[in-house]
Amino acid sequence: MTKNMIIGIGGTGLSAIRELRRLIAERYEKGLDDPAVSGVRFVYIDTDGEDANRRSNWTVLGKDISLKKGERVIVTGDQLGPMVQRPNDYDDVKSWLPSISDYVGAPGEGAKGIRPYGRLIYEYSKNKNEIRSRILAARDSLNQALPHEPAWRFYIVCSLSGGTGSGMFLPLAHDLIKWDVFKRDMAAQKMRAFLVLPPLTIAGRHDRYHANPFGALKELNYQGVEGTLPFSGTYLIEPMNERGNEIGLDNLPLLIAQRLFLNIQGGEAAARIDGLMDNPNLGGLEGDDTRRRHALCFSSFGLSSVSYPRETIARSVALEWAAGVTAGWLMERDTPQNVNQIVKNDLSRLRLSRLHVNGDGDPFGGKDFAPYENEIPNLVDERIVPLQKRQLGPAGHKIREELETGFREQGIENFYQQREKDAKRAAEHAVNQVRLSVSRQIRDGSRGIRFAKEYLSELLLILEKEWKQEASGRYGDAAQRQVALFQSNYGETVNSISQHEQKYVYFDSEFARDKSNMDDELKAYLTKKAGYWSGKYAMTLLDAVIPAIVKLKAELDVWHGKVTDTLGKIRGRLQLSLDGRAQDARENGTVIFDMSVLGKLAKSASPEVVNPAIEQRLRDRLAAALERQFDDLDLFALMEQHDVDAMLEQTAFDFILSPESPIDIRRTNLYDRFVTDYPTPKARQEVLAQAQALSDVFTRSVPEEVGRRPIHIVEASVVSIPNVIGRMTKDNQEAQSVVRADLEAIGVPNGQIQATQDVERIIFVREKQAFPIRFIESMKRLKERYDAYPFKEALHIDKEEVPKLYELFLLSEKER
């Protein structure tokens, strides 16, 4: 297993690293921790500390691919103001740093598109020591992981248009040699550079955007001629291929990552291509004019694919499911006719039953008591029924006092006053239960949002017309006077009974009548008193609950609008995912996945299974976000969350990757889908031929420049196919054999077809080596912009080298 160190510089380097880590996560079960990639390390260097944070999707198939602390080095020019203003005062930089103070501005984050400033940031001792430390740590980590492996591959990826990448990559490559990290001229060690050229049509960039690359290429050409170029192979890549087809600048990091991934996986396909790059006989000089000496050590590649990208597919199915869940909440359904009965059946769970409103039921789910009007008569009977003759009077006032003050161990007044102190919290709890219940009605396949609105209307009628009217009759000045009157009546009755019991003759009939009167009067008084304080609590509770439910009913319309917007965002994300733009890069070729395939795949799982599972996961995610517990999913609280569409997508995505998912995305491979979705050889061969045509090298040549000197340019082609058998076709053939036959049918020699470990792609790779830079068509335009830029010192990293640089073009017609 070869040791691989991938060094990405600037935004392009970061994107390439991200895409390579994505490919690893898609291919290997344990992602970056898989033993198959134990020989890979990453170092990302940039002058913009926020660039990595701005990039999205650092999770692939549920695996974290984000850069760890030791894999990123952020260096800035905060301390470099004096060097920029007075370079001759500093011995370490005065020999090479040109005068750039007029266009650097205030030193700080970013290299401002100035190549020598990018190099200055790199060369600053504190920054260089940090970079060196990270690279040595990556080297030591690889040596520890693979102590007996002699083969090394170093890859540097960056753009030549900005100040960071184009200013740092060459000094860094030379330093890798100085630091004894890379040993030059050793067959077992290779260092490749993947350098991205800009599209000529791009606008809105800094004025050095197109001049920078030409300046960097002059330096590369010079070092190639002089034999000091540190790279074993230098790839020049632009977003236009040999046929003039636009690739797209944002897509190049993905294609570089796929090329690197081919090498990391190893095998015959990588060996065949690397055999070209490792050929020591290639290279040399071109041109008789000493001003025009051209290195022939530059290369380019083309890459296209037929792919089944499981990350995109899983994401798309998840979005389809998320859209299905959301659309279900908005669906209008026929409303059942028994709304009142459904609400009444729910009242106890809502903590708004008569028992709870009166304070006898615990509003927080604790111990409930029997209704006071049932409990009090039983308590009175328990105390009065056992009494014998001549015991009524002496016990009457004591029993009243004990029952009145010992009611539920607190006393009647204290018990309901304690309830009243918690009325606000009880109201909040009840309203939360109502929110959960309304959420259930919305999610219920037989009810829906229209029913939810009627549910709330019916609940309000019960609370206002029944519970509140009843409570108001038990509380108030009139009720308070009745309590006093009933207490007085009971006292008079007890006093009267005491006099009866003092008579010499006290008949049984008189005792029975007195006992009955005392029992009735005590029940009436205690019940009236409990009713008064219960009514007071009920009024307090309902005065808080009813307005909140009225507000909740109004919020349903707002909620409806939010859900509609969310559904639109999810569907928009789905379209982006299908278009391949969700990953900020697009496969160059054919993706065997479209809306029709998505529909079949998504609908292969029943909504009755999918929706509840996603909703339950949403509940848990929401509870974690709010640090609260939910008995059920609160759709109102959900819609109050920021980026709820992203939360829905991620929840559905987590579900599709879980063992509970009815669709196993992980087990389906390219062959399975290819032979299923394209069952005829003609259909498959058309797809393969289209991909083959797109694999032209990512540089466009100029025919007249090519024809000026007889140069033997070396090319190689490989088609890598998944090293799996795949499912059997209808005519009982292995899918891999079928695809091999299809490739041979479109003219791919059998010797070029190599099996690799990438189960998600058929990759067509073409490499071209041994051409001078002047062969690239865009060079003329880049030269024009380079020549038009008046301050050449801002375009070169070493002022001493500038007079020695060669002219990249041969003689013009006029010169000849």
Side-chain angles (χ1 to χ4, degrees):
M1 180 185 294
T2 303
K3 299 170 182 173
N4 297 275
M5 187 184 298
I6 291 88
I7 303 173
I9 308 176
T12 297
L14 175 64
S15 294
I17 285 176
R18 190 265 167 202
E19 294 300 335
L20 180 53
R21 291 162 81 98
R22 175 174 71 84
L23 294 173
I24 290 171
E26 287 181 348
R27 168 62 187 90
Y28 298 111
E29 187 65 32
K30 295 182 180 179
L32 296 171
D33 296 325
D34 200 280
V37 289
S38 60
V40 183
R41 296 294 183 275
F42 299 89
V43 179
Y44 159 56
I45 306 168
D46 208 345
T47 55
D48 184 352
E50 291 301 315
D51 201 13
N53 298 331
R54 286 190 289 267
R55 307 296 174 106
S56 59
N57 293 329
W58 286 96
T59 301
V60 175
L61 294 173
K63 304 165 193 172
D64 180 22
I65 63 168
S66 61
L67 289 160
K68 304 301 182 286
K69 184 178 180 181
E71 297 176 313
R72 54 194 293 181
V73 192
I74 305 302
V75 292
T76 70
D78 291 344
Q79 308 299 318
L80 304 182
M83 290 186 180
V84 170
Q85 297 299 324
R86 303 182 307 278
N88 290 330
D89 292 350
Y90 298 88
D91 291 337
D92 290 342
V93 301
K94 69 179 182 180
S95 62
W96 61 265
L97 181 62
S99 177
I100 55 174
S101 60
D102 290 342
Y103 17 89
V104 167
E109 288 193 356
K112 306 177 186 294
I114 303 168
R115 297 187 65 233
Y117 184 49
R119 180 182 176 184
L120 178 63
I121 294 173
Y122 169 78
E123 297 286 1
Y124 180 53
S125 59
K126 178 177 180 293
N127 293 341
K128 181 182 279 194
N129 288 338
E130 182 70 15
I131 292 170
R132 181 176 182 269
S133 174
R134 291 282 187 260
I135 287 176
L136 293 182
R139 180 200 63 183
D140 295 343
S141 176
L142 280 169
N143 281 332
Q144 185 177 5
L146 303 172
H148 305 298
E149 175 55 59
W152 281 85
R153 293 292 183 269
F154 298 87
Y155 301 99
I156 294 179
V157 184
C158 68
S159 166
L160 295 184
S161 298
T164 299
S166 67
M168 292 185 180
F169 79 97
L170 205 47
L172 171 63
H174 284 295
D175 279 340
L176 292 180
I177 299 171
K178 292 179 184 177
W179 298 337
D180 203 27
V181 175
F182 168 61
K183 295 179 175 59
R184 193 168 182 171
D185 299 325
M186 284 187 61
Q189 294 201 15
K190 303 296 177 185
M191 178 159 49
R192 315 283 197 224
F194 288 83
L195 308 176
V196 175
L197 304 177
L200 295 173
T201 55
I202 199 165
R205 305 298 176 97
H206 55 79
D207 56 1
R208 293 169 296 280
Y209 189 75
H210 291 96
N212 273 341
F214 196 80
L217 292 174
K218 284 174 71 72
E219 294 164 2
L220 285 169
N221 177 68
Y222 172 76
Q223 294 201 15
V225 171
E226 298 297 316
T228 58
L229 192 66
F231 306 115
S232 309
T234 307
Y235 287 92
L236 301 177
I237 310 138
E238 63 180 346
M240 178 181 288
N241 68 13
E242 280 186 316
R243 299 193 187 195
N245 296 323
E246 290 283 350
I247 306 301
L249 185 62
D250 290 340
N251 301 326
L252 288 182
L254 168 60
L255 303 177
I256 293 171
Q258 289 178 334
R259 176 66 186 85
L260 296 180
F261 190 48
L262 193 68
N263 279 15
I264 289 170
Q265 291 182 109
E268 286 298 320
R272 181 176 291 272
I273 292 295
D274 270 355
L276 169 68
M277 297 300 296
D278 292 342
N279 190 332
N281 297 319
L282 300 178
L285 306 178
E286 183 218 7
D288 300 323
D289 189 335
T290 56
R291 294 172 302 160
R292 297 174 169 87
R293 306 186 74 194
H294 302 117
L296 305 183
C297 52
F298 299 104
S299 307
S300 190
F301 74 92
L303 184 149
S304 64
S305 60
V306 178
S307 62
Y308 183 72
R310 286 184 291 176
E311 163 75 7
T312 300
I313 291 161
R315 187 72 63 182
S316 299
V317 174
L319 283 163
E320 179 76 1
W321 282 354
V325 170
T326 313
W329 299 339
L330 298 172
M331 190 176 296
E332 294 284 350
R333 300 179 176 93
D334 293 334
T335 305
Q337 299 302 309
N338 56 344
V339 182
N340 180 269
Q341 188 58 51
I342 291 172
V343 173
K344 286 188 173 179
N345 291 341
D346 272 356
L347 288 175
S348 182
R349 182 159 46 84
L350 301 178
R351 307 289 190 264
L352 289 174
S353 67
R354 185 179 183 281
L355 189 73
H356 290 94
V357 168
N358 287 344
D360 299 318
D362 191 303
F364 309 110
K367 179 183 178 181
D368 291 335
F369 294 95
Y372 69 87
E373 62 267 35
N374 294 337
E375 181 179 356
I376 286 176
N378 291 334
L379 292 174
V380 170
D381 286 343
E382 287 175 4
R383 298 298 302 275
I384 292 180
V385 167
L387 295 177
Q388 302 299 316
K389 282 183 179 181
R390 306 189 189 282
Q391 291 180 341
L392 297 177
H397 292 294
K398 183 179 179 181
I399 291 173
R400 176 196 59 76
E401 182 180 355
E402 289 176 351
L403 290 178
E404 193 171 357
T405 59
F407 179 74
R408 297 173 183 171
E409 299 181 353
Q410 296 183 62
I412 292 175
E413 185 173 343
N414 286 341
F415 176 83
Y416 289 108
Q417 282 184 337
Q418 190 61 49
R419 282 280 198 256
E420 192 175 353
K421 289 178 182 178
D422 284 337
K424 181 179 178 181
R425 197 161 60 93
E428 291 173 352
H429 186 70
V431 172
N432 283 335
Q433 294 301 315
V434 173
R435 286 160 60 104
L436 293 177
S437 187
V438 171
S439 297
R440 277 190 288 271
Q441 314 310 322
I442 292 171
R443 291 161 39 217
D444 192 318
S446 62
R447 296 176 185 176
I449 189 167
R450 189 194 311 166
F451 175 82
K453 292 179 180 179
E454 295 197 19
Y455 180 94
L456 286 177
S457 297
E458 196 65 34
L459 177 59
L460 284 171
L461 281 175
I462 293 172
L463 297 179
E464 291 176 321
K465 302 301 182 184
E466 296 186 34
W467 296 169
K468 190 168 184 178
Q469 284 188 7
E470 182 191 75
S472 65
R474 292 183 280 117
Y475 173 69
D477 292 340
Q480 192 172 27
R481 288 193 294 271
Q482 285 185 318
V483 171
L485 177 63
F486 280 36
Q487 182 180 14
S488 175
N489 290 343
Y490 177 73
E492 291 176 359
T493 298
V494 171
N495 292 336
S496 175
I497 291 172
S498 296
Q499 293 177 2
H500 295 167
E501 288 182 321
Q502 293 175 9
K503 293 192 299 182
Y504 182 75
V505 177
Y506 187 35
F507 296 105
D508 289 344
S509 59
E510 290 179 299
F511 169 69
R513 183 179 65 252
D514 287 343
K515 189 175 186 179
S516 176
N517 288 341
M518 180 176 165
D519 186 79
D520 291 342
E521 293 286 351
L522 185 56
K523 289 176 182 177
Y525 164 63
L526 294 179
T527 302
K528 180 62 70 174
K529 182 171 184 176
Y532 173 83
W533 289 105
S534 166
K536 187 174 187 294
Y537 165 74
M539 294 294 288
T540 304
L541 178 70
L542 292 172
D543 283 345
V545 168
I546 290 173
I549 295 178
V550 170
K551 181 181 177 183
L552 188 64
K553 187 178 178 184
E555 286 177 356
L556 261 182
D557 292 329
V558 177
W559 178 90
H560 191 281
K562 288 182 179 178
V563 177
T564 302
D565 290 344
T566 298
L567 179 58
K569 288 180 180 179
I570 292 172
R571 285 175 172 163
R573 284 173 182 258
L574 176 58
Q575 192 58 54
L576 285 176
S577 181
L578 291 173
D579 290 345
R581 292 194 295 269
Q583 303 295 336
D584 299 325
R586 208 183 294 186
E587 300 273 356
N588 183 39
T590 300
V591 177
I592 308 175
F593 186 69
D594 56 21
M595 187 61 80
S596 62
V597 176
L598 170 64
K600 294 176 186 176
L601 195 58
K603 291 175 183 176
S604 63
S606 167
E608 286 74 20
V609 173
V610 170
N611 291 9
I614 292 176
E615 288 170 344
Q616 182 175 348
R617 287 172 175 266
L618 271 174
R619 180 200 68 181
D620 296 340
R621 187 180 291 270
L622 184 64
L626 298 179
E627 297 182 348
R628 287 168 48 193
Q629 291 297 318
F630 288 98
D631 297 331
D632 209 336
L633 176 61
D634 185 342
L635 292 180
F636 294 90
L638 178 67
M639 284 300 143
E640 291 166 2
Q641 298 304 297
H642 179 64
D643 290 341
V644 66
D645 51 316
M647 181 184 286
L648 277 157
E649 176 189 352
Q650 191 58 46
T651 303
F653 186 69
D654 291 346
F655 173 59
I656 199 172
L657 298 182
S658 71
E660 294 78 31
S661 172
I663 297 176
D664 192 346
I665 292 290
R666 298 174 188 273
R667 294 190 178 277
T668 304
N669 62 48
L670 168 70
Y671 289 145
D672 296 342
R673 289 251 58 99
F674 195 29
V675 299
T676 300
D677 296 340
Y678 300 88
T680 67
K682 181 181 178 181
R684 291 192 300 273
Q685 289 164 22
E686 285 179 356
V687 172
L688 293 170
Q690 289 170 3
Q692 184 184 37
L694 290 173
S695 66
D696 290 301
V697 172
F698 296 145
T699 50
R700 184 169 181 173
S701 302
V702 188
E704 61 267 27
E705 290 291 339
V706 174
R708 287 186 182 183
R709 286 285 189 275
I711 298 172
H712 178 61
I713 298 176
V714 182
E715 296 191 43
S717 297
V718 167
V719 181
S720 72
I721 62 174
N723 189 23
V724 292
I725 294 174
R727 67 178 58 171
M728 305 298 286
T729 62
K730 292 181 179 179
D731 51 359
N732 205 33
Q733 289 183 286
E734 292 177 354
Q736 186 190 104
S737 300
V738 168
V739 172
R740 278 184 175 272
D742 290 331
L743 286 168
E744 292 181 20
I746 65 170
V748 178
N750 185 57
Q752 289 186 10
I753 305 172
Q754 302 292 336
T756 63
Q757 297 300 313
D758 189 345
V759 298
E760 297 179 356
R761 292 168 187 82
I762 297 170
I763 296 181
F764 295 81
V765 185
R766 292 181 185 174
E767 299 250 347
K768 176 186 287 188
Q769 192 201 36
F771 64 82
I773 293 174
R774 66 179 176 81
F775 274 24
I776 302 173
E777 183 183 62
S778 61
M779 286 301 101
K780 285 192 175 182
R781 295 285 299 280
L782 292 179
K783 182 180 186 301
E784 290 173 4
R785 300 188 185 186
Y786 171 83
D787 289 342
Y789 190 73
F791 309 108
K792 297 294 189 298
E793 59 267 30
L795 304 178
H796 291 286
I797 62 172
D798 190 337
K799 67 182 181 183
E800 288 190 334
E801 193 178 71
V802 173
K804 306 173 187 178
L805 301 179
Y806 301 112
E807 173 58 55
L808 290 183
F809 287 87
L810 294 179
L811 291 175
S812 66
E813 289 290 339
K814 183 178 179 180
E815 288 175 322
R816 282 191 289 176

